[in-house]
Amino acid sequence: MKKRSEKKFMLTGSLTGIPFTEIAETCPAGIFITDPAGNCHYVNNFWCKITGLTKTEVKKTFWLDLIHPDDKDNLSGAWERFKMDKSPMINEFRIIDKKGITKWLAGVIKVLESLKNSESPIIGIFLEVSEIKKTGAESEKYRMAYKNLIENSFDAILLTSPDGRIFSANPAACRMFGRSEEELCRLGRDCVVDHSDPRLAKALRIRDIKGNFFGELRMIRKSGKKFQAEISSSIFTGETGEKYTSMIIREISQKRLKSGTGNVTRKSFESRYFKEYQDAIENERSQIALELHDDLGQRFSSLKLYLAWLKNRIGVQSQSVKTKLIEMNSLIDESMSRIRDFISILKPSVLFELGLVESLKWQLDRFENQTKIRCNFFSYPEEFNLDEDKSLALFRILQEALTNIRKHADAGSVAVELRLLRKTVIMRISDNGKGFSLEKVNLISSRGISGMKERVKFLGGKFFIKSVIEKGTIIKVSLPTKPY
């Protein structure tokens, strides 16, 4: 214990005309004033709250006596250096309060020239940061646990950006791809993903729309050897608002791929992948439809009001001006009608409001009115109780077929039949157009027909197409009414 000086300090100074003690007592930080020997001459109420001591008890206690034993040596050395060079002492340390509770403090000690008497008093201003330290310790604990989990994972884990940069790779990823972490970070996603895999573009699109992706992709090692892997990837936002992506990669063994169990597992992955892809597309279509309705629809409505206002305000004008106004109004009406058509294509609310049969009739009626191609529809029974996925698939297949007929068939009529045979629903679409070569379609892998086939395959159904030059085309879709 240091021998205390008997010299007293008179706290008669003020800051900006306000007595020092008035400021100190209302300050939400612990404040004490000592002499260079460390004897305490003043403490505010908040310092008493932090230490658990009364003002009388604090003044009888050398402030360094409150310091936690593990911090005392360092702080005593800092205190001695401070007394010599008079530079502000910024530090954080632990104290033990009257109840024996350890608390973290952070703040500054400096010479207080504004209260200078015969000697310069020393002021300490400190905040209790125990909760911050506790939170930081917990965060560090979880960070280390998370790091150990990643470092010891058998799965390859990459921290990346949506544009393909790699920021970190765990040891399993380095072993899987035969590259160091520095090499993976330098080369990016292009060095691990096989860009010739046709599933890659769809996978990235699903992740962009939904925020995550789970499925299979073909990867590539440093040696150039390609392999199949299960991929789980998600997009998340960092503390600074920057977008990051995680990739968890698990290699699929050749044994598993060749085994019956592997085939079933792979089929389930493909089914899930295709459903996620279709759901992502439908969600995107719905979003676009909403934007068209809320944005462009309102803008065109406003334009009509402006034209009506302008027509009423211009008074007597030339006939050509009136004609132009009428033409502009008609053009807006046509544009609004086209927007409604686009919305109905993107988001078939009619399907969920009226049911499958009525929505197919509505689609054919609209097609006939637009193209003047005669349409016939037959349904037995008149109502179908199908689940949403199958109803949407049939609606979209007819939609795609009618689009192809309008663009390419040069047909005079279209016939659509919808039948229920036992536990199978069958839709047959035929036209009397000019037909086409199936070999050519297979060669160019028509997106429209490929999309129909994928939808039907995913739902456990069968897809058939036949086309004869100058005679027309027949599309037949069979779907099980029960889950397959």
Side-chain angles (χ1 to χ4, degrees):
M1 178 80 68
K2 290 182 181 291
K3 185 177 180 179
R4 294 182 175 81
S5 169
E6 294 300 322
K7 184 173 287 187
K8 303 292 182 181
F9 283 91
M10 300 300 293
L11 300 178
T12 58
S14 65
L15 300 175
T16 64
I18 303 174
F20 169 79
T21 53
E22 185 176 336
I23 296 174
E25 291 303 326
T26 57
C27 180
I31 298 175
F32 62 81
I33 293 178
T34 73
D35 59 29
N39 302 310
C40 187
H41 294 275
Y42 169 79
V43 294
N44 71 344
N45 289 329
F46 210 85
W47 181 257
C48 293
K49 181 179 179 181
I50 291 173
T51 61
L53 300 172
T54 66
K55 290 190 177 185
T56 301
E57 289 172 328
V58 171
K59 290 181 179 181
K60 293 179 180 180
T61 305
F62 182 41
W63 77 273
L64 282 173
D65 292 341
L66 299 172
I67 306 303
H68 191 282
D70 292 343
D71 295 340
K72 185 167 288 187
D73 288 343
N74 288 336
L75 205 61
S76 295
W79 172 253
E80 294 301 322
R81 290 191 296 272
F82 162 74
K83 289 194 297 181
M84 287 188 293
D85 61 26
K86 305 298 183 183
S87 297
M89 172 182 160
I90 300 173
N91 214 324
E92 61 179 34
F93 51 86
R94 288 166 290 179
I95 67 166
I96 299 177
D97 72 5
K98 186 176 181 179
K99 294 181 179 180
I101 299 173
T102 299
K103 297 178 178 179
W104 275 97
L105 303 184
V108 61
I109 294 176
K110 63 172 293 184
V111 174
L112 190 59
E113 298 289 342
S114 62
L115 296 182
K116 188 173 182 180
N117 292 310
S118 58
E119 290 187 31
S120 296
I122 296 168
I123 185 169
I125 304 175
F126 287 92
L127 292 172
E128 184 183 353
V129 292
S130 302
E131 286 300 318
I132 297 174
K133 281 289 186 179
K134 181 180 178 181
T135 303
E138 289 293 318
S139 298
E140 181 64 16
K141 174 184 173 182
Y142 289 122
R143 190 188 71 81
M144 291 303 299
Y146 182 68
K147 180 181 179 182
N148 289 332
L149 179 67
I150 292 176
E151 293 295 317
N152 294 288
S153 172
F154 289 107
D155 294 330
I157 301 177
L158 300 176
L159 175 63
T160 66
S161 65
D163 61 10
R165 290 171 292 160
I166 295 177
F167 301 115
S168 66
N170 71 340
C174 297
R175 291 192 298 270
M176 175 180 286
F177 297 107
R179 298 181 185 274
S180 67
E181 184 178 21
E182 184 279 330
E183 192 175 6
L184 289 169
C185 292
R186 177 167 49 84
L187 297 174
R189 186 174 63 204
D190 291 345
C191 75
V192 298
V193 179
D194 180 10
H195 283 262
S196 65
D197 189 341
R199 299 169 294 183
L200 177 60
K202 290 183 179 180
L204 293 175
R205 187 179 180 192
I206 289 173
R207 193 183 67 180
D208 288 343
I209 296 171
K210 296 184 63 179
N212 57 72
F213 166 78
F214 180 77
E216 291 185 17
L217 288 176
R218 193 163 55 241
M219 314 301 284
I220 186 168
R221 306 188 205 278
K222 184 176 182 178
S223 63
K225 184 178 180 180
K226 299 177 181 179
F227 63 96
Q228 294 291 329
E230 296 171 6
I231 308 294
S232 176
S233 182
S234 299
I235 299 176
F236 63 94
T237 304
E239 293 180 356
T240 60
E242 186 176 357
K243 296 290 184 181
Y244 294 95
T245 53
S246 63
M247 288 181 66
I248 301 175
I249 308 163
R250 177 176 295 178
E251 184 174 358
I252 303 173
S253 67
Q254 290 299 316
K255 182 178 180 180
R256 177 180 157 190
L257 285 174
K258 292 177 181 179
S259 69
T261 304
N263 289 335
V264 171
T265 304
R266 186 166 185 174
K267 181 179 179 181
S268 67
F269 277 133
E270 289 176 350
S271 296
R272 184 194 295 188
Y273 165 79
F274 184 75
K275 174 150 178 51
E276 287 186 352
Y277 179 61
Q278 290 298 328
D279 288 346
I281 290 177
E282 292 298 334
N283 288 337
E284 188 176 31
R285 284 172 170 169
S286 296
Q287 186 61 40
I288 294 172
L290 186 62
E291 292 290 338
L292 285 173
H293 178 272
D294 291 347
D295 189 8
L296 289 182
Q298 291 182 8
R299 290 175 185 269
F300 278 120
S301 296
S302 296
L303 280 176
K304 282 183 68 68
L305 292 174
Y306 292 152
L307 279 178
W309 178 86
L310 186 60
K311 185 177 180 181
N312 291 332
R313 288 299 184 98
I314 61 174
V316 180
Q317 294 288 343
S318 65
Q319 185 60 37
S320 60
V321 173
K322 294 181 180 179
T323 301
K324 284 297 179 183
L325 287 174
I326 293 172
E327 290 176 356
M328 290 171 67
N329 198 64
S330 298
L331 183 59
I332 291 174
D333 288 337
E334 290 173 10
S335 298
M336 293 179 71
S337 177
R338 290 291 290 162
I339 288 174
R340 285 191 289 269
D341 288 341
F342 287 139
I343 291 173
S344 64
I345 292 171
L346 291 168
K347 186 179 181 181
S349 55
V350 64
L351 172 64
F352 307 111
E353 293 172 1
L354 302 180
L356 177 61
V357 173
E358 292 302 319
S359 67
L360 297 184
K361 288 180 182 178
W362 170 84
Q363 197 171 171
L364 288 169
D365 289 342
R366 190 169 62 88
F367 178 79
E368 184 172 339
N369 290 333
Q370 291 175 347
T371 64
K372 308 307 177 185
I373 297 174
R374 188 175 67 258
C375 295
N376 297 303
F377 179 76
F378 174 79
S379 172
Y380 182 82
E382 293 185 357
E383 294 294 335
F384 283 79
N385 186 22
L386 285 178
D387 62 47
E388 186 175 304
D389 286 343
K390 293 184 176 68
S391 296
L392 182 60
L394 293 174
F395 183 91
R396 290 297 189 198
I397 288 170
L398 177 59
Q399 190 177 69
E400 183 62 37
L402 293 177
T403 298
N404 290 340
I405 291 170
R406 183 178 68 249
K407 289 182 177 180
H408 310 296
D410 194 21
S413 65
V414 175
V416 177
E417 297 180 12
L418 191 67
R419 296 177 180 271
L420 181 63
L421 298 178
R422 296 180 182 177
K423 295 182 179 181
T424 303
V425 60
I426 300 171
M427 183 170 70
R428 185 179 186 273
I429 307 166
S430 60
D431 68 71
N432 64 350
K434 59 185 179 182
F436 56 88
S437 168
L438 289 176
E439 289 77 13
K440 183 178 180 182
V441 169
N442 291 334
L443 178 64
I444 65 174
S445 186
S446 168
R447 287 187 178 182
I449 294 177
S450 295
M452 295 183 202
K453 289 180 178 178
E454 287 182 357
R455 282 184 181 274
V456 174
K457 179 183 176 182
F458 165 68
L459 295 170
K462 297 179 180 179
F463 181 86
F464 170 82
I465 182 168
K466 178 182 178 181
S467 189
V468 180
I469 302 297
E470 301 304 332
K471 290 190 177 181
T473 301
I474 297 174
I475 292 175
K476 186 177 178 181
V477 175
S478 302
L479 294 176
T481 57
K482 302 295 182 182
Y484 68 99

